[in-house]
Amino acid sequence: MSLYIFYISNFLLLLCLTASLIQFGKIINNKIFTRPGVIVLAYVQLISILLSFLILIYLFLISDFNFDLVYFNSHSEKPLIYKFSGVWGNHEGSMLLWILILVLFNFLFALSRRISERFKEITVAVQSIMIFGFVAFLFFLSNPFALNQNNFFDGIGLNPILQDPLLAIHPPVLYVGYVGFSLVFSLAIAGLITKEVDQQWASIVKPWVFSAWAFLTAGIALGSFWAYYELGWGGYWFWDPVENASLMPWIAATALIHCVLILQKRNVMQSWTIILAILTFSLSLVGTFLVRSGILNSVHTFASDPGRGLFILLFIFLILVFSFSLFAYNSEKINKINSMGLVSRGTGIQVNNWLLITILTIVFLGTMYPLATDLLLNKSLTVGPKYYSTTIAPIIILFLFFMFISPRLGWTDTKLYKIIIQMRYLIITSLTITLIISLYFELFNLTEILIIFFSLLLVISSVTASINFNKQNILVRTNLGQNLAHAGFGILMMAVVSNAVYSEERIYNAKVGDNLQLQKYIFSFDKIEQVEESNYNSLKAYFLMKKDGKLIDTFTPEIRFYSNPPTITSEASILHKFFSDIYLVMNVPQDQQSISVRMHIKPFMTILWLGTLMIIIGGIISASIRIGRVDEK
Amino acid sequence: MSSLVKSRLIKFLLSLIIVSIAVLIIIFNLRDNIIYFYGPTDLLKNSDKQGQIMRLGGLVSVDSFQNETDSIFYFSITDGENEIDVKYEGILPNLFAEDKGVVVEGVYMNDGRFIANKVLAKHDENYMPPEVIETLKKSGKWQGE
């Protein structure tokens, strides 16, 4: 049985390889490769990969340990959902998922209408040559369907910290984001080849780039939320190399979506948009594969194999060389001289583009510097998180200012003082609120105050801008996506700053019966008990949280002892309130009498996630609204 | 030189200057925030590094672990050749044990003792930090493959 599955699944991979090659052949010689048509081939690519992915899921669900991948990453006693998510909890499986999404995007694009045949053919061909490269990589270098000769009775198991419902959906969402930019990249290459990077190009690209961006944002947020409750350190962002690897394409993509918008509106910045499209996709590749390659030393490193990293680095290198030579050759022909006013919305977006690139450089240097010194000087070092916060914070202030002012400016030259006079009430309100906040909470750091002030300005102006009435007093929809996302970003920044300033931590060694204090709350250590679950044993502590003698909630931090593979994890117990989270985590007792408990008060966490959610929804709205938007006047 | 080329050249040079200044500022800030990693032998060679924040890694020496109170601990970190005494106040991670790999972050004091403020945790029982493996390989005490 296993042998049949082995042949069928490998045949499917080869089928996809062939179809992708023919798809690519179409732009080399469309006389030989007329049939089958683009759409038929796209069906073949999709169905072959989809079937092999379903087969892999099936193998995990029935725990067929004749397959290496299942043996190394699954275990018969694992709960069903983690057998399922274990499919992409490893290198080969996640590669197959990556390719599935790549093929899916290709397929959806091939189906789209109102795009010239030639343009579609080229885009699909570029996409297909990438599909070819990745399927070949999968087939030859990391085949998920490799058999073993032994009759293993049971598997090794999935790393317990990956056994988490959120981590079942985090990789697929993140991958949709990363892979979505592959299509944007293909569209950019097609634009370069046909020399048609214009307003029409921008409207074709827009829904794809916005949805990819929204998914990437959601993917990063899910990962961050997972780290917050699973790693048990009370933080949501550690400037860890793996986190940075996903942040870098996000920063580039954020610049990109704004450029696509200017291109669509004003037909300017063609070259820069193309550069950003190439950059975003290259960084997405770096993001996916540095994480899996094991080159990075990170709190998140799981399965890894440095040998494979080489192929990916080579692939990224080829893509960069090819696309930039094409760019150098054709860029003069795609640029059209269209000027923008000096004090205009376009300039504001351009400035913020530069600021984003600066932040990207900061993150890039911080992430790569330790790698470089390790490889070149054989010296191990880490870059402290303070590097990021102190360098990025001043840039964020400027960035928030331009985010606030740019949408208020027109596309042509605008008088700045007129805008400021128009916005005077808004500015005064924000200033007053900031003053009250900083006095009440004794906040005297200038950077923090300025970030809060400009964030407030941004939030209030975005909210008021989205509430627009026409002459008949009917609410009209104006740039809802943009305003929602911008307000969300302002809220996020305020939450980040306040969270950093007001977080509190207490560490106790506690025995049953002890009363521990954190601010105005008392935690009574009620009992500790051992619980046996299907795939782990756990030690569960019960803390009763009281305020003024009244019971508010029960906290149950936990330590889990997994046996397949042998691992210990701490599960935090968190109470989410609107203005702050209370967070308890415990550690294995040093002696048997007491346990160590770490308690955190994390203010504004709910608001922080809320701001992120607004950004994501804003992106989805912008992706789905096609062209005919109401422009504010 | 035509005026177009000239203006482009000026633009290019200007942006080059601005970019290099920005990168310099970033790198200076980077250097201030670097935390170096040492093994015990490396650290003894670099005794001028006293007073800086750094990471130290190796194996926890057998029979070196003591606790003064519930949250103040003493242990030594070894690479098989040299040992450094560590004092740590806080919570020890679940998988902390003698003869297992460990990485601590803190300050190397001038009395030769390391005051740690963080013990970096990993979740996997068999996990060995890559730096520790490197350290053990250097001193010839590495027994893995």
Side-chain angles (χ1 to χ4, degrees):
Chain A
M1 183 62 193
S2 300
L3 201 61
Y4 287 121
I5 295 181
F6 170 78
Y7 283 125
I8 294 170
S9 47
N10 278 300
F11 167 75
L12 286 169
L13 294 182
L14 287 174
L15 184 66
C16 181
L17 274 180
T18 320
S20 307
L21 213 54
I22 301 176
Q23 196 78 286
F24 179 68
K26 278 177 184 303
I27 54 163
I28 310 275
N29 188 334
N30 58 3
K31 290 215 174 58
I32 303 174
F33 298 103
T34 18
R35 275 168 187 281
V38 171
I39 292 180
V40 177
L41 284 170
Y43 266 108
V44 175
Q45 288 170 309
L46 177 68
I47 290 169
S48 58
I49 296 297
L50 186 64
L51 279 180
S52 49
F53 190 68
L54 290 176
I55 290 175
L56 193 62
I57 292 178
Y58 172 76
L59 291 177
F60 269 83
L61 292 186
I62 63 160
S63 297
D64 188 338
F65 298 118
N66 290 323
F67 286 87
D68 261 348
L69 194 67
V70 184
Y71 168 68
F72 281 111
N73 297 291
S74 198
H75 191 276
S76 56
E77 279 168 27
K78 209 164 60 168
L80 197 66
I81 172 180
Y82 301 126
K83 282 184 184 167
F84 183 66
S85 72
V87 174
W88 52 82
N90 57 77
H91 171 78
E92 288 83 354
S94 68
M95 273 298 300
L96 187 57
L97 175 68
W98 210 89
I99 293 169
L100 176 66
I101 300 170
L102 191 66
V103 172
L104 186 70
F105 267 102
N106 182 52
F107 174 75
L108 289 176
F109 180 75
L111 286 191
S112 62
R113 287 172 199 169
R114 280 182 297 177
I115 296 171
S116 77
E117 271 311 304
R118 178 82 184 134
F119 187 77
K120 190 190 274 184
E121 251 178 45
I122 297 176
T123 311
V124 170
V126 177
Q127 195 76 1
S128 290
I129 196 69
M130 284 194 283
I131 296 173
F132 180 82
F134 282 112
V135 176
F137 172 62
L138 188 79
F139 185 78
F140 293 111
L141 291 170
S142 43
N143 197 317
F145 300 105
L147 286 171
N148 55 44
Q149 301 303 320
N150 318 346
N151 277 318
F152 288 115
F153 178 66
D154 216 328
I156 288 178
L158 175 71
N159 188 340
I161 54 167
L162 300 179
Q163 295 187 19
D164 184 283
L166 205 63
L167 224 62
I169 55 169
H170 161 66
V173 172
L174 195 66
Y175 282 8
V176 172
Y178 282 151
V179 178
F181 293 121
S182 76
L183 186 63
V184 177
F185 169 79
S186 300
L187 286 164
I189 297 298
L192 274 178
I193 292 175
T194 56
K195 306 180 193 77
E196 282 163 6
V197 181
D198 50 16
Q199 283 162 297
Q200 212 217 331
W201 182 87
S203 25
I204 295 172
V205 171
K206 200 189 140 195
W208 300 105
V209 73
F210 268 92
S211 30
W213 180 81
F215 269 98
L216 182 59
T217 316
I220 296 173
L222 285 173
S224 164
F225 190 63
W226 169 80
Y228 174 63
Y229 71 74
E230 180 69 33
L231 292 181
W233 300 330
Y236 55 91
W237 194 264
F238 303 97
W239 295 107
D240 179 274
V242 163
E243 296 166 348
N244 292 349
S246 69
L247 184 65
M248 287 191 281
W250 187 85
I251 298 172
T254 307
L256 176 63
I257 52 177
H258 291 92
C259 286
V260 169
L261 284 180
I262 311 189
L263 182 58
Q264 192 192 20
K265 289 273 168 200
R266 308 296 295 176
N267 203 12
V268 288
M269 299 182 34
Q270 290 87 351
S271 309
W272 182 235
T273 310
I274 295 293
I275 291 180
L276 282 178
I278 297 170
L279 185 68
T280 305
F281 180 57
S282 311
L283 288 170
S284 297
L285 283 179
V286 173
T288 324
F289 297 105
L290 273 191
V291 173
R292 291 274 168 205
S293 70
I295 298 172
L296 297 178
N297 181 16
S298 143
V299 292
H300 305 274
T301 34
F302 312 117
S304 57
D305 173 6
R308 290 163 180 156
L310 200 64
F311 172 88
I312 300 303
L313 283 180
L314 193 70
F315 194 76
I316 296 173
F317 180 71
L318 282 179
I319 283 184
L320 282 177
V321 169
F322 164 73
S323 42
F324 276 110
S325 343
L326 187 67
F327 176 77
Y329 190 69
N330 271 359
S331 71
E332 290 293 309
K333 291 163 201 142
I334 57 166
N335 267 339
K336 301 185 181 60
I337 314 289
N338 278 319
S339 62
M340 298 184 285
L342 183 61
V343 183
S344 69
R345 194 181 300 182
T347 312
I349 296 177
Q350 251 177 334
V351 171
N352 263 0
N353 253 277
W354 277 102
L355 294 179
L356 281 170
I357 295 301
T358 316
I359 297 176
L360 180 61
T361 315
I362 292 170
V363 178
F364 186 83
L365 286 175
T367 314
M368 295 302 166
Y369 192 83
L371 275 182
T373 50
D374 196 21
L375 287 175
L376 303 175
L377 308 170
N378 199 14
K379 246 183 173 175
S380 300
L381 52 84
T382 323
V383 176
K386 224 183 110 226
Y387 156 70
Y388 297 98
S389 51
T390 49
T391 3
I392 293 177
I395 302 172
I396 285 290
I397 297 173
L398 275 177
F399 185 73
L400 284 167
F401 170 73
F402 282 101
M403 249 178 112
F404 152 70
I405 203 82
S406 309
R408 319 298 146 217
L409 300 173
W411 285 108
T412 47
D413 233 332
T414 321
K415 293 273 179 293
L416 194 58
Y417 69 91
K418 279 191 182 157
I419 300 292
I420 298 201
I421 291 170
Q422 249 179 40
M423 304 245 108
R424 61 190 181 278
Y425 295 117
L426 215 150
I427 295 172
I428 293 168
T429 318
S430 309
L431 205 58
T432 325
I433 300 176
T434 311
L435 272 177
I436 294 171
I437 291 177
S438 58
L439 286 177
Y440 185 79
F441 290 107
E442 293 168 0
L443 186 68
F444 300 120
N445 179 314
L446 187 64
T447 317
E448 286 156 8
I449 292 177
L450 282 174
I451 290 181
I452 290 193
F453 170 64
F454 284 114
S455 302
L456 262 175
L457 211 53
L458 176 65
V459 174
I460 300 175
S461 67
S462 305
V463 170
T464 49
S466 60
I467 307 171
N468 252 348
F469 291 92
N470 65 6
K471 281 177 194 139
Q472 285 88 41
N473 265 335
I474 301 165
L475 191 68
V476 287
R477 192 180 55 187
T478 49
N479 290 344
L480 185 62
Q482 174 206 316
N483 286 321
L484 195 63
H486 283 196
F489 186 76
I491 290 174
L492 175 66
M493 283 301 121
M494 280 196 278
V496 166
V497 169
S498 334
N499 180 274
V501 178
Y502 298 111
S503 285
E504 235 188 278
E505 185 189 287
R506 284 268 178 291
I507 299 174
Y508 289 106
N509 279 286
K511 296 184 180 66
V512 174
D514 282 358
N515 286 317
L516 318 172
Q517 189 169 9
L518 178 66
Q519 291 187 350
K520 57 202 172 198
Y521 305 105
I522 306 281
F523 294 83
S524 313
F525 189 177
D526 190 35
K527 58 178 174 183
I528 187 157
E529 59 180 38
Q530 286 193 2
V531 188
E532 250 177 64
E533 296 285 342
S534 66
N535 59 331
Y536 60 87
N537 291 326
S538 100
L539 200 61
K540 219 171 192 171
Y542 288 80
F543 288 89
L544 308 175
M545 182 176 93
K546 292 172 191 158
K547 188 182 161 192
D548 306 326
K550 268 192 303 191
L551 180 70
I552 297 180
D553 206 354
T554 309
F555 284 79
T556 53
E558 228 184 293
I559 299 171
R560 291 183 182 167
F561 303 87
Y562 290 85
S563 46
N564 308 301
T567 305
I568 305 176
T569 67
S570 290
E571 302 290 313
S573 175
I574 309 170
L575 173 67
H576 302 278
K577 298 196 298 170
F578 190 70
F579 284 110
S580 65
D581 278 12
I582 299 169
Y583 187 111
L584 257 71
V585 61
M586 75 163 177
N587 277 68
V588 163
Q590 296 304 324
D591 45 45
Q592 295 307 309
Q593 281 90 46
S594 64
I595 60 163
S596 326
V597 194
R598 199 148 31 94
M599 305 179 180
H600 299 265
I601 289 217
K602 295 257 136 201
F604 304 111
M605 287 308 292
T606 309
I607 296 173
L608 192 147
W609 303 123
L610 192 75
T612 316
L613 190 65
M614 285 168 70
I615 299 176
I616 297 165
I617 296 174
I620 293 170
I621 293 176
S622 300
S624 47
I625 293 176
R626 283 235 154 210
I627 314 162
R629 298 180 312 168
V630 190
D631 245 328
E632 76 262 46
K633 191 78 241 174
Chain B
M1 236 190 290
S2 74
S3 66
L4 183 72
V5 174
K6 212 175 193 174
S7 81
R8 275 199 183 169
L9 197 67
I10 291 172
K11 266 188 200 167
F12 176 75
L13 285 177
L14 261 181
S15 35
L16 197 70
I17 292 169
I18 294 173
V19 168
S20 9
I21 292 175
V23 168
L24 274 181
I25 294 174
I26 294 171
I27 287 187
F28 270 111
N29 205 345
L30 186 71
R31 298 197 78 97
D32 287 346
N33 286 289
I34 282 176
I35 303 166
Y36 283 97
F37 174 92
Y38 298 100
T41 308
D42 288 342
L43 187 55
L44 290 174
K45 277 188 217 146
N46 289 288
S47 47
D48 56 315
K49 303 286 183 201
Q50 283 160 350
Q52 290 177 16
I53 288 204
M54 60 177 74
R55 287 184 181 176
L56 169 68
L59 298 176
V60 180
S61 316
V62 180
D63 294 332
S64 70
F65 182 77
Q66 291 170 6
N67 49 338
E68 185 180 295
T69 66
D70 277 346
S71 59
I72 299 176
F73 308 103
Y74 297 95
F75 51 90
S76 319
I77 291 182
T78 178
D79 56 5
E81 249 170 47
N82 290 293
E83 265 190 11
I84 288 181
D85 294 334
V86 179
K87 181 190 176 190
Y88 169 66
E89 190 173 348
I91 290 188
L92 285 173
N94 293 332
L95 292 171
F96 181 89
E98 285 181 353
D99 211 24
K100 292 263 177 194
V102 69
V103 175
V104 297
E105 190 176 300
V107 182
Y108 185 43
M109 308 303 281
N110 50 12
D111 62 355
R113 194 196 275 177
F114 196 92
I115 307 289
N117 50 33
K118 257 187 219 161
V119 174
L120 304 174
K122 281 279 180 176
H123 298 269
D124 185 346
E125 187 176 19
N126 298 315
Y127 180 82
M128 185 74 86
E131 295 94 342
V132 174
I133 294 176
E134 201 56 40
T135 309
L136 293 178
K137 275 183 182 160
K138 268 186 208 164
S139 67
K141 301 287 171 188
W142 174 245
Q143 292 175 347
E145 75 273 25

